[in-house]
């Protein structure tokens, strides 16, 4: 089964606070994430070394002491520097959670973070302490309060209103039809001709338009949508084998490779971290 490269470490867990938000602590020397996105925010801080990543058409560096703020749906990569290390902690808060925090601050909408890397050692240290404390023996009240205060401070300092998208840049209906068709057929081995027919355009045109609008090919979007569904099923206690079959992966090995490349931990490790023992229907 696919495992992390030697020298890489990652610990994924489901917090019992903040509506069951997921958190990750990792130290990577070899792991390189392919372009991917999350349906949540990614709010984290680099503890050591630096992260090198591509997003919004450019290259970014997140050194130790900086925040990394990724909005939901933003395609990005992630890797340590050459012959270096990338150590970090991050949280994956949902849109509804961040909307609630923003509302408590008197804002009418979930925050949009215009800067993906923020060199702010004080805020980064606050977030790192709150994330470390979330795994400690303190009361639930204290752990949640520290994390909420850290997130609120980040929203106040860095959050903005989401910019309006000019009409010419709005995703065409064909792209939305493609998204829906792929997500409605995740367990099936669909071909490009079927997807193009559902989109109502030629295969070549679809490939160009979809990549231009989403930053991903239809095949890459399919892999991500399958992983999103897989995370939900693993969290409900399904086995790795059952989840792979339900999400349309060829086999467990293929599933493990794709899941690890996007999430950063193996499906089995993710399931062990987030699925309550009582709900696990069988061994991985």
């Amino acid at each position: 089964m696919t495992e992390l490269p030697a020298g890489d470490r990652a610990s994924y867990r489901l917090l019992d606070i903040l509506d069951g938000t997921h958190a990750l602590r990792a130290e990577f020397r070899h792991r390189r994430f392919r372009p991917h996105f999350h349906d949540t925010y990614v709010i984290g801080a680099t503890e050591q070394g630096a992260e090198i990543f591509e997003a919004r058409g450019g290259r970014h560096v997140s050194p130790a002491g900086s925040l990394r703020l990724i909005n939901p749906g933003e395609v990005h990569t992630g890797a340590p520097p050459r012959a270096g290390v990338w150590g970090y902690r991050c949280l994956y808060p949902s849109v509804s959670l961040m909307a609630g925090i923003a509302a408590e601050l008197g804002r009418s909408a979930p925050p949009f973070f215009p800067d993906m890397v923020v060199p702010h050692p004080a805020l980064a240290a606050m977030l790192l302490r709150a994330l470390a404390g979330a795994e400690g023996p303190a009361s639930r009240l204290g752990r949640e309060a520290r994390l909420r205060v850290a997130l609120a401070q980040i929203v106040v300092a860095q959050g903005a209103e989401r910019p309006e998208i000019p009409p010419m840049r709005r995703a065409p209906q064909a792209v939305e039809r493609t998204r829906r068709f792929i997500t409605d057929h995740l367990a099936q081995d669909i071909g490009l001709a079927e997807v193009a027919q559902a989109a109502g355009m030629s295969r070549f045109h679809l490939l160009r338009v979809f990549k231009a609008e989403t930053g991903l090919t239809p095949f890459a979007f399919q892999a991500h949508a399958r992983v999103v569904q897989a995370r939900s099923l693993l969290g409900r206690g399904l086995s790795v084998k059952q989840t792979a079959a339900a999400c349309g992966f060829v086999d467990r090995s293929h599933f493990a490779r794709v899941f690890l490349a996007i999430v950063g931990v193996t499906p089995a490790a993710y399931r062990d971290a987030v699925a309550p023992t009582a709900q696990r229907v069988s061994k991985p």
Side-chain angles (χ1 to χ4, degrees):
M1 178 175 292
T2 302
E3 301 291 347
L4 288 172
D8 286 1
R9 296 183 298 168
S11 174
Y12 206 99
R13 66 175 299 172
L14 174 68
L15 302 180
D16 63 345
I17 53 179
L18 298 180
D19 302 329
T21 299
H22 294 173
L24 174 68
R25 184 180 188 182
E27 184 179 297
F28 293 135
R29 288 176 169 80
H30 309 287
R31 167 58 53 197
R32 282 166 171 74
F33 291 93
R34 65 177 65 174
H36 65 285
F37 65 89
H38 303 272
D39 56 353
T40 66
Y41 291 87
V42 183
I43 299 179
T46 304
E47 289 187 290
Q48 58 175 322
E51 178 196 10
I52 314 297
F53 67 100
E54 304 283 339
R56 297 183 188 171
R59 182 177 183 270
H60 307 266
V61 179
S62 174
S66 65
L67 293 170
R68 186 171 69 114
L69 307 173
I70 308 292
N71 298 294
E74 288 192 311
V75 176
H76 58 284
T77 63
R82 188 182 297 256
V85 63
W86 165 30
Y88 71 108
R89 287 180 183 264
C90 67
L91 193 69
Y92 299 92
S94 67
V95 174
S96 61
L97 174 63
M98 295 300 290
I101 291 175
E104 292 178 5
L105 295 170
R107 303 192 179 198
S108 60
F112 173 81
F113 295 112
D115 297 318
M116 306 182 91
V117 177
V118 179
H120 200 312
L123 269 181
M126 175 186 287
L127 178 62
L128 288 172
R129 286 194 300 269
L131 286 169
E135 303 175 1
S139 69
R140 179 178 176 181
L141 177 62
R143 290 183 288 121
E144 180 171 359
R146 282 191 288 271
L147 266 178
R148 280 189 175 272
V149 168
L151 291 175
Q153 291 284 353
I154 291 170
V155 170
V156 169
Q158 301 299 323
E161 292 186 5
R162 180 174 294 276
E164 286 292 329
I165 302 174
M168 291 298 293
R169 293 293 307 278
R170 295 186 189 279
Q173 293 183 356
V175 171
E176 295 307 313
R177 288 196 296 269
T178 301
R179 290 176 187 264
R180 288 196 299 270
F181 185 80
I182 291 174
T183 54
D184 288 345
H185 298 81
L186 290 181
Q188 300 175 28
D189 186 21
I190 57 178
L192 182 58
E194 298 167 81
V195 178
Q197 182 178 12
M201 59 176 54
S202 72
R203 284 170 284 194
F204 180 70
H205 192 196
L206 170 63
L207 291 174
R208 287 195 298 116
V209 169
F210 195 90
K211 179 68 178 291
E213 292 291 341
T214 68
L216 297 170
T217 65
F219 173 74
F221 177 81
Q222 181 190 55
H224 283 73
R226 284 174 168 172
V227 167
V228 169
Q229 184 185 54
R231 290 174 64 172
S232 175
L233 296 179
L234 291 170
R236 285 160 44 191
L238 267 69
S239 71
V240 174
K241 182 179 180 180
Q242 290 171 320
T243 301
C247 296
F249 289 99
V250 175
D251 52 37
R252 285 182 58 180
S253 295
H254 177 226
F255 174 38
R257 288 195 302 273
V258 175
F259 194 93
L260 179 60
I262 292 175
V263 181
V265 297
T266 65
Y270 181 89
R271 178 177 181 264
D272 289 344
V274 305
T277 303
Q279 293 183 8
R280 297 178 190 172
V281 297
S282 65
K283 296 291 184 182

